[in-house]
Every structure is written in structure tokens, then in C-alpha cells.
Amino acid sequence: MLKQYKAIKNEYADAILLFRLGDFYEMFMEDAETAAEVLEIVLTSREAGKGRRIPMCGIPYHAATGYIAKLIAKGFKVAICEQVEDPKKAKGLVKREVIRVITPGTLIDEQLLDEKNNNYLMALVKQAEVYGLAVADLSTGDFFVTQIPAEEGLLIDELSHWQPREVLVSEQQLPLWPWLKQHTELLLTPRPALDFEWENAQERLLAHFQVVSLEGFGCQELLAAVAAAGALLSYAYETQKSQLSHLLSLRTYYLDDFMHLDQYTRRNLELVETLREHKTQGSLLWVLDRTVTAAGGRLLKKWLEQPLRRLVEVEERLEKVERFFLRHQIREATRSLLRRTCDLQRLLAKLACGTLNPRDLLALGNTLKLLPELRVELLREEMGPVAEMAKAINPLPELAALLTNALREDPPIIMTEGNIFREGYNLELDALLSATRDGKQWIASLEQQERERTGIKSLKVGFNQVFGYYLEVTKTNLNLVPEDYIRKQTLANAERFITPELKKYEELILGAEEKRAALEYELFIELRQQVFTALPELKRLAETLALLDVYAALAETAVQNHYVRPEVNEDKSILIREGRHPVVERVLPPGKFVPNDTLLDEKTHRLQIITGPNMAGKSTYMRQVALIVLMAQIGSFVPASYARIGLVDRIFTRVGAADNLAGGQSTFMVEMSELANILHHATGDSLLILDEIGRGTSTYDGLSIAWAVLEYLWNPQAIGARTLFATHYHELTSLAKRLPGVENLNVVVAKEGEDVVFLHKILPGASDRSYGIEVAKLAGIPGVVLDRAREILSQLEAKGLKERSQKVALPVNPAQQLPLFVAEDNPLVKELRNLNLNELTPLEALKLLFQWQKRLKKKEA
Ligand SMILES: Nc1ncnc2c1ncn2[C@@H]1O[C@H](COP(=O)(O)OP(=O)(O)O)[C@@H](O)[C@H]1O
Ligand SMILES: [Mg+2]
């Protein structure tokens, strides 16, 4: 057996091999050691001949899913090796085969998946000057390809967009992307270079889709894309050991089809998760997602990650959302019907891979039954294009009826133990059922009958696995046992008997039950095959249902949150009245958010410089503009009283001095490379949100850089993008007088005595000053420090910045100085000075701070 194990393990060296032995999956040697640790199960050992022992551990097969999930979550691959012949019938060693390899990128089992997230597998290849990318979700059947210029930045953006769980690259190209390996959540799987060869890839794709050319998928000419897609498919076949019939088509997309969002912008705008905590709550998705199906949730997320570029497409979506927006009853009826549907996409993946179980089939039947009603709701004239969609829904009435008539109301998940089908579905099955039933009835009546015949009042009929049916008589009544009873077993105070007649019925029942289970299994496979023929139809249906869910959900959100339908066009202007930040307004108490207007255009309002104290609302305002534009371009209504959006090709957002210590780069370096990326890629159709760029360096450097960047962005010969620019450099506000199209905005604050009150209102003009000291006071900086700051400020202001800080007079009272930073011999100061910030993670920094504070406190005590 170990020889068999080793042979199989050799073929699946990079996976943990689960080797089926009876009711257990066993793991041996290194696999056992790894698994025991990851799964926290006991490591034992097993005799391996000549007195040697090898490590071993096992998991019960019926509880395997949970363990497999754990291994996958840790990035391992798992090969499932089953007994492929009946052990009772096997001569010698039972034949075993790997029936499936489960890897993080190829999951199809819903217990291993997150229902609201796609699970993407990606293949990546470089050819000449392009990267070919293929992305598939085997659990839904989505399959996309594209080709992008061979630029690392673009590749990173695509990775951040798809977030694949596993990336396939050619063994030979592995060294091309050393950083791919460092991406911790990403599993990198090297594959044979042959798989990525265009000819092999193309052949595989043609065979899979049963076509003679890839023309229909729009990727015939994209050699690198085809190479990636073929390689992906080959891996999928190899792991799933199935025909993957649910991968029905391949969609070619181009980066230009969608609004381009780079990785920083995605993170910064907190589209699907928050920046710091990586939680859905607090993201735009969290506000928008009122979908009622898992597939709808996944689709909405996809939309958010790929906002549209083309006017007609945006209009089409908005139009459908509006139909649901206006018809409350239809919307509600639709949503409540959709809520009762099953996750058809994932069900179809299981159908294609042969793992669909009886309960899944019932869920499918129940979903089909809802369709006629759904069609009635939607097939109304006032639903316009939504009605058109509904017309295309095929409720597959025969299939629905077939499933309803076939399946019991509570079919099991297991398909080999019967109890799947209703009576009346199959004559042979009915006969077996009634044989079982008659036999059981006879046995049930036997007890009474035998009590009367023998006079033993306590006589009982029982059943156990070893002896089958028996008659049980207590010791005190043994003298009454008739002659025809045959003794089978003696217990402490009773004896068990059988009779020939009892055995005859027993055989009838048990034989019938076994036959019945076998027959039901056969019938189930047959039924599943019938459903299989409807796969393309069902796939279309799944897509339609997901779309309907998203339209209705966006409408629901629009109603609940008081959004309006944006007007969209291809002008280069953005006009928003009473715009709100969709997330911040949800977090604040109702009515507390202060709406603001926005006007950006090509001519007089191209670039706006926003000044105002910290905490006034600059960042919120700028993000709100970006989010409103983005929402419009996914086809959503927007938080405003009116909005007219000239579509943008890209949104860029950058935040100065982002704390990226973990990345090991200095913040200024990060900031500048992000900025460089914008200057290279922004166009006159882009929208730029720059939040305090240039903060990470000295004042004069920062100011000069910000200044030059602004001029470049403003210049229509260079970029000329619509730009919002928040800054603390008041000097920049003078640009408004010199460059046409540059405007100043400020967030007003009211001053009450020494305190500031934030009004969060954006008004034209530059802010007069920063109120930094007032804000510092709000943050709890001690009074002495604030007083000293005021002193310095007034001197700096009086002398003009140019004369700089040397001229600032020494404090009148030196005791105000903080001792920590002047006491040269203080060990804390030495440590601080010698600290290499670039080598610290934020967590380590925090720990250090904590220790220092503790030491300081000790000293003071
Ligand atoms: N328009 C608004 N209405 C109500 N509260 C707001 C508004 N804008 C901002 N705020 C509040 O002020 C806080 C600080 O805003 P932020 O945009 O970060 O300020 P800044 O970038 O000017 O420092 C936000 O967290 C939010 O709670
Ligand atoms: Mg800010």
C-alpha cells in the first residue's frame, strides 16, 4: 500500500495528498507533519517495514471539508485520492486515484468559498512587449482575457483589480516577476512552459469551446492572451479532472473599456474595503450593496471595480436602475422573489464538475418554479428595457416540472443512500419501496402475533447490524419459547431468536433497500444528465438573475439614501449640486452631513486649489467628488440633489505622506513615485484628486514640487486634467491670479473666541489662515506649547517666511522647552537618534513607543 501511495504522491508532489483508507483520509511523511501542525491534529506513525516507522495523521472522510478549507486557506494544494473500486470486490490492493486537486484558485465547493466574492485564478505570460492575462472563476464559469503593455505598474493595477487567489506563470518566466512571490496572499504556481505556447494553447481552447476559430471571442489576434487562457484551461482540467462544460465562453476585454483605476486609487477611495482595517463596512460597497443574492453581490462588486467608460453603456444601466427606482412594488416583488433563488452560477459549476447533489437539484427546481411569477412582475410596459430582459428569461417549464415530480421535499446531500425520489416517479422504484414497506409492516405485526402465540407478554422484535431482525425473550420466559425458534445470541438476562419466516422477510427488506439505493443513484445520475443538457440555458438565466438583482439593489439604495439619477455626457464638465459623501453621510447621524456644490470644467474651472484648516473637510469633499463620478459610471444613482457628469477615463487619487512604513520605502519616495505615475498617465479626460501632495519633505522643496506639478497638470498642452488639489501651502493660492482656469476654494470655519467651529462648507476664495494652533488645541496639545507656538507664529509672520527660523527669538522662559529633546545624554534621545525608521514596521514602532513611555513614566515616578 505504501508503494501505491508513493507512486501517487510522486505525481502530486506539490500538493498534500489525502489518501483514502476506509473511513479516513490519511497523510504520510512530510504531508503528515505539515498537516498535523496546520490542522492541530495528532501526529502518529505507521510501520513501514524492517522496523522503520513513518509519520502519519488522518482525518475522518465525512468531516474532511473543514480540514481541507483550513489547508487551502493557508495556501496549500490538496489532492484527493479515493478508492475507485469497491473494496469488497477488489482482488488484492484496492485501486486508488486522485479524483480532484483542490487549490486556492480552483475551488468550486460552496463550503470552501465566500459567497459574495469571486474566486479568481489568473494565468500570466509575457510575450514580446505585452503581458497576456487570463482570469477565470471556476466556481461561476466566468472567463476573461486581455492583453496589456508590458509595464509592471499596469500589471500591479490589474492584480489589485482582480485579486486572484492563485497565479499561474510559466516555469521559464518565473524570474521575470520576483515581486509576485513576495505578495503574501498570492499563491504562485509555476507551470510547464509548453502550456503557454501559443499553438498548444489555441488548440486547447478550440477543442474546449468546440469552435474552429477564436474570432467569436475577439481574441484571435491576441497571441499572449490566448497563450494565458490556454495555460489556465490546461491547469483547470488537470485539477478538476472534468470537462468544465460550464466555461461556456471567453470574454476579451481591453483596459480602455473601463475607467482606469490604479491600485492606490482603489485603496484610497475605499471602494470595496477600508484602507486601514480592510473591512467591507465603511467602504463604498458597504453603502451600495443591497443585493439579495450571492451572485448579485459578486456582480455589484465587479461593477465597482470596473466602472464603465462608454456613454451608451452607462445610460443603459442607469435606465434599468431608474425603472426599478420608480416602481416600488415591482422592485419589492422582484427582490423578494430573487431572495428565494439559489446560487445558480455556483450550482452550475458543480453540475459541470459532477459534484451536484440531490439537494442542489431541488434548489434548482425551486428556483425555476419562481420564474413565471418573476416574468409576470417584470413584463410590464413601464419596465421598458427591464421587460426586455425578462422576455429573454426561459423558465424551462418541463425541467421545472420534471424536478418537482422527481424529487422528495427533503432530499439528502449524499446520493448513494436513496431517499431522493418521490413515489410515482419510477415504477421499479415504487415496487421496491412497497416491498420494503410491506416487509416492515409484516415485521411490525409480528411482535403482537408472537406474543399471542407464545403467551410471552414481554417478547420484543428488534434489529441490529450484525444479526439483522430478531425476537428477544427474557430469561424468565425461556420455558415458553416454541420449537421453531432458533437461538442466535445470549445476553445477560435475555436471549435472541430468529425464525425462518423472519429471515425471509428480512432478506426481502434488506435486499430491496440495497437495490433501491442503487436504483436511486442510477436515476439521479440520469436526471442530472438531463439537467446538464440545459446548461447553456441555465447559464444565461443565472446571468440575467444576477443583473436584475444588481439593478433592483441599486434602485433600492437610491431610494433609501435619497440619491438622484445623474445626467451623463461626454463633455468635460462635472456639475454637482448639494453633493454628499456616500459613506461619511451614512456614518454621521442623519442630517448632519453638510452638502456641497461642485463645478469643474475644461475652461474656467479646471483646477481647484482647496485650502482650509485640518479637519475642515477637504479630504472628504474631494473624495466625494471622485466617488460621485465613479458611482455614475457604474450606473448608480448618486448622493446629490442634481448631478451632470462628463465621463472620465481615469480617476487618480493621491494622499501626501501616506504612512507606508511597512513597505520599507520612505514616505516621500512613495509619494513621489505615485505622483510620477499620475504625471505619466493622466489625460485631459481624467479626474485628479491630490490631497496634500509634497508634505513629506521640507517646506520649500515640498512647495516647489507642488507648484511645478500644478502647473503641469493645469497646462492643456501637457495634461489639462480636471483637478482638485488640497494643500497647506497658502503660497499656491496665488496661482489662481496667474493661470486662467485655476480657482481657489476654501472650507470655512467659524471662530468662537479661541476655538474654531468646522462648518464643512466649501466656498470660493482662499482660506485666510490654517488655524493649525486651534486644531492642535482641539487635539489636546498642552497649553504651554500652544502659547509658545502662537509666539513663534507671530514672529514668523512678522519677519516673513524667507528669514526663516533662525531669526525666531529664543523662548522667554526656557523651562517651556521639552526636556526630552534637549537632554543630549538622555539614553532615550540617543536611541531615538540612532533609530533607522526604514527598518521598522508600524507595529514595531508602536511597541517601541510603548516601552519608551513606560521608561519615562518610571523615571518621573
Ligand atoms: N461635509 C461634511 N459634513 C459633515 N461632516 C464633515 C463634512 N466633511 C467632513 N466632515 C467631518 O470632518 C472630518 C474631517 O474631515 P476631513 O475631510 O478629513 O478634513 P481635512 O481633510 O480638511 O483635514 C470627517 O471625518 C467628517 O467627520
Ligand atoms: Mg485631509
Side-chain angles (χ1 to χ4, degrees), residues 614-615 618-620 623 691-692:
N614 273 318
M615 291 301 287
K618 300 182 295 298
S619 301
T620 307
R623 277 189 179 70
D691 200 346
E692 304 196 27

Side-chain angles (χ1 to χ4, degrees), residues 686-707:
S686 308
L687 174 65
L688 270 52
I689 304 293
L690 300 177
D691 200 346
E692 304 196 27
I693 289 295
R695 226 164 52 158
T697 185
S698 78
T699 312
Y700 284 104
D701 285 2
L703 173 58
S704 320
I705 292 170
W707 191 302

Side-chain angles (χ1 to χ4, degrees), residues 667-685:
T667 51
F668 183 65
M669 187 61 198
V670 173
E671 200 181 314
M672 287 302 113
S673 55
E674 291 182 15
L675 193 58
N677 179 296
I678 297 189
L679 298 181
H680 287 304
H681 292 103
T683 75
D685 290 330

Side-chain angles (χ1 to χ4, degrees), residues 584 588 592-594 596 613-620 760:
V584 177
L588 293 177
K592 284 283 178 245
F593 192 89
V594 181
N596 277 300
N614 273 318
M615 291 301 287
K618 300 182 295 298
S619 301
T620 307
H760 305 302

